[in-house]
């Protein structure tokens, strides 16, 4: 493995790291110390609302502020991201923009490696006219690019895929998919929940139409909020049926229908935003911005390579792509009894999780040291040897 990069790992900003080796960034990032102060600032603003109008001074603009921070991290323009209650609502908002009964362009191309929420939502669209084609995975780890491209044709309305799979850390070839989809008049949506904050995203450069995700994982924001990126030149042309008063062009007119959408990405909002959630995510987003996703990705590539080499040298089955450009920030190592292994590792202060049929999921972030990664793999080897 290449020598450890000399970067500021900001470990003092994450109290959780004192409890053991945190390899759970694919599931729940550690809480930034500053999140406590941020949440107290929310309480103070609420408590003092009668002397200083919190909505007027800060709360109304917070969705835009957080959205622009997220846009910067995912490689988009300011004004391209609308904060959402969660990624499922973000996805449902996009789905509500289309009428799959209106013409023959009603196909949605998905994949067998997508997160279940995506599959459930698209299955629901099949009951109102959509034809859903889930591209098969031959090995449960990857999807052949050729199979994805072949599924996209002139009947395709939307290609909706996980950028990085929660099951295997497999990463799709975005540029090839966008080029093919746009050539056939289709939109592209990427679920970047498992890549934002760990992999450099280029929303603007890729010309992708929609991105959805959330803050709970690599962005160190906790289970606070989701987000929806909409390509800027599309924003004025599409109208989500999943909507609310905040999406109105003049929300404080409290006008009766018909809906008059705002001409910005705010047209993809719904009701009153969760203000405490917005306060809670700001410290994590700031840390990710300051460290830089490019730095984080380089560290991730180096350490996941080490983990995969370690596993393969011992004959373990790795359910993650070997090719660095085809994987995200996690490594999946098969074990017979995942829950039991997770428990035994936690007893040794190594914190991971597992998924059925996949095995252990292990994810080093920028704040982990090389020493921790080596130690975690050594403990895993010891536990397997004595299993």
């Amino acid at each position: 493995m290449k020598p450890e990069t000399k970067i500021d790992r900001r470990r003092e900003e994450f109290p959780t790291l004192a409890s053991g080796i945190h390899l759970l960034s694919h599931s729940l990032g550690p809480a930034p110390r500053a999140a406590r102060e941020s949440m107290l600032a929310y309480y103070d603003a609420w408590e003092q609302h009668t002397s200083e109008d919190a909505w007027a001074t800060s709360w109304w603009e917070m969705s835009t502020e957080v959205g622009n921070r997220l846009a910067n991290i995912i490689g988009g323009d300011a004004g391209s991201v609308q904060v959402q209650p969660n990624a499922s609502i973000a996805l449902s908002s996009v789905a509500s923009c289309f009428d799959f009964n209106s013409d023959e362009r009603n196909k949605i191309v998905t994949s067998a490696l997508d997160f279940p929420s995506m599959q459930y939502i698209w299955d629901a669209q099949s009951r109102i006219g959509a034809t859903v084609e889930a591209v098969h995975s031959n090995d449960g780890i990857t999807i052949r690019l050729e199979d994805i491209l072949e599924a996209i044709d002139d009947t395709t309305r939307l290609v909706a895929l996980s950028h990085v799979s929660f099951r295997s850390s497999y990463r799709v070839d975005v540029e090839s998919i966008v080029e093919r989809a746009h050539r056939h008049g289709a939109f592209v949506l990427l679920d970047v929940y498992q890549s934002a904050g760990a992999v450099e995203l280029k929303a603007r450069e890729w010309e992708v139409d929609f991105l959805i995700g959330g803050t709970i994982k690599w962005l160190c924001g906790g289970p606070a909020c989701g987000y929806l990126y909409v390509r800027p030149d599309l924003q004025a042309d599409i109208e989500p049926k999943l909507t609310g008063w905040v999406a109105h062009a003049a929300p404080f007119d409290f006008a009766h229908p018909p809906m008059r959408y705002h001409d910005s990405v705010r047209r993809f909002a719904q009701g009153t935003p969760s203000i405490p959630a917005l306060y809670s995510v700001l410290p994590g987003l700031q840390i990710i911005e300051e460290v830089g996703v490019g730095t984080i990705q380089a560290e991730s590539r180096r350490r996941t390579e080490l983990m995969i080499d370690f596993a393969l040298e011992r004959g373990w089955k790795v359910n993650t792509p070997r090719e660095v450009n085809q994987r995200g920030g996690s490594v999946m190592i098969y074990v017979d009894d995942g829950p039991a292994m997770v428990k035994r590792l936690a007893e040794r202060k190594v914190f991971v999780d597992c998924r059925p049929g996949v095995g252990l999921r292990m994810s080093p972030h920028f704040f982990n040291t090389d020493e921790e990664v080596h130690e975690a793999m050594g403990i895993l080897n010891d536990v397997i040897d004595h299993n």
Side-chain angles (χ1 to χ4, degrees):
M1 184 177 73
K2 296 178 182 178
E4 180 164 4
T5 307
K6 299 301 181 183
I7 66 171
D8 183 358
R9 300 195 181 278
R10 317 287 286 268
R11 292 181 63 82
E12 71 285 353
E13 297 186 37
F14 297 99
T16 306
L17 301 185
S19 65
I21 301 175
H22 187 285
L23 297 175
L24 278 169
S25 289
H26 58 266
S27 180
L28 176 61
R33 185 184 303 277
R36 179 185 295 272
E37 288 72 33
S38 190
M39 294 300 287
L40 288 173
Y42 156 71
Y43 176 79
D44 289 342
W46 181 16
E47 185 180 51
Q48 298 163 19
H49 175 65
T50 52
S51 59
E52 185 176 41
D53 186 345
W55 282 108
T57 58
S58 59
W59 287 1
W60 184 252
E61 298 300 326
M62 283 194 77
S63 291
T64 299
E65 177 188 355
V66 172
N68 286 340
R69 302 288 285 270
L70 287 161
N72 181 53
I73 289 171
I74 65 174
D77 297 314
S80 62
V81 172
Q82 175 60 46
V83 173
Q84 302 282 308
N86 52 58
S88 294
I89 296 298
L91 184 60
S92 297
S93 177
V94 174
S96 77
C97 295
F98 304 112
D99 181 358
F100 295 105
N101 275 317
S102 62
D103 57 35
E104 294 182 357
R105 188 181 284 277
N106 67 349
K107 184 197 284 189
I108 303 169
V109 175
T110 67
S111 98
L113 298 182
D114 296 334
F115 192 71
S117 280
M118 293 184 72
Q119 298 172 341
Y120 301 153
I121 289 168
W122 297 131
D123 180 65
Q125 304 311 304
S126 70
R127 300 198 294 271
I128 54 172
T131 299
V132 180
E133 181 173 344
V135 181
H136 180 67
S137 170
N138 293 325
D139 57 9
I141 300 173
T142 62
I143 303 278
R144 286 186 355 122
L145 176 62
E146 295 84 351
D147 292 340
I148 297 173
L149 299 182
E150 185 177 342
I152 303 168
D153 57 27
D154 290 338
T155 70
T156 305
R157 173 67 67 186
L158 181 68
V159 181
L161 302 167
S162 293
H163 181 221
V164 168
S165 172
F166 83 107
R167 287 187 56 82
S168 66
S169 202
Y170 170 67
R171 176 154 50 108
V172 299
D173 181 342
V174 176
E175 292 172 296
S176 297
I177 292 167
V178 170
E179 190 280 329
R180 170 81 173 188
H182 286 178
R183 180 151 45 92
H184 283 274
F187 297 98
V188 176
L189 178 146
L190 295 178
D191 175 358
V192 296
Y193 224 140
Q194 287 290 352
S195 55
V199 176
E200 283 191 288
L201 305 181
K202 302 177 181 179
R204 182 191 316 106
E205 182 179 325
W206 289 338
E207 298 184 343
V208 67
D209 304 297
F210 307 100
L211 299 176
I212 64 166
T215 56
I216 189 173
K217 306 178 190 296
W218 301 93
L219 297 177
C220 302
C225 60
Y227 54 87
L228 168 62
Y229 165 90
V230 183
R231 206 177 81 208
D233 59 316
L234 289 179
Q235 291 175 13
D237 297 330
I238 49 182
E239 299 180 348
K241 300 179 189 70
L242 177 59
T243 189
W245 73 282
V246 176
H248 197 278
F252 294 102
D253 285 354
F254 306 109
H256 293 294
M259 179 63 163
R260 183 162 57 91
Y261 291 93
H262 199 275
D263 61 3
S264 75
V265 75
R266 184 156 60 79
R267 66 171 47 205
F268 294 89
Q270 296 90 36
T272 304
S274 176
I275 300 302
L278 300 179
Y279 272 91
S280 72
V281 303
L282 284 169
L285 296 181
Q286 181 174 341
I287 291 170
I288 298 300
E289 284 182 306
E290 290 173 355
V291 174
V293 180
T295 297
I296 295 170
Q297 176 174 276
E299 286 292 86
S300 175
R301 289 184 170 193
R302 193 172 60 83
R303 267 95 76 86
T304 53
E305 190 80 7
L306 158 71
M307 295 166 74
I308 291 172
D309 286 344
F310 187 98
L312 294 178
E313 287 168 3
R314 285 153 182 80
W316 302 343
K317 182 180 180 182
V318 176
N319 287 323
T320 296
R322 187 71 178 84
E323 169 55 45
V324 67
N325 292 321
Q326 290 187 353
R327 70 172 183 265
S330 301
V331 174
M332 285 64 170
I333 297 173
Y334 182 77
V335 293
D336 289 332
D337 189 339
M341 187 64 70
V342 168
K343 182 178 179 181
R344 293 183 67 185
L345 289 172
E347 291 169 352
R348 302 280 296 271
K349 304 301 182 184
V350 176
F351 302 109
V352 302
D353 71 3
C354 64
R355 287 294 180 267
V358 173
L360 301 177
R361 302 195 303 170
M362 309 175 72
S363 302
H365 210 331
F366 80 94
F367 47 71
N368 292 114
T369 64
D370 281 13
E371 181 181 26
E372 281 185 321
V373 176
H374 283 289
E375 182 181 355
M377 298 306 290
I379 291 172
L380 175 60
N381 184 61
D382 185 54
V383 171
I384 289 176
D385 281 349
H386 291 87
N387 193 21

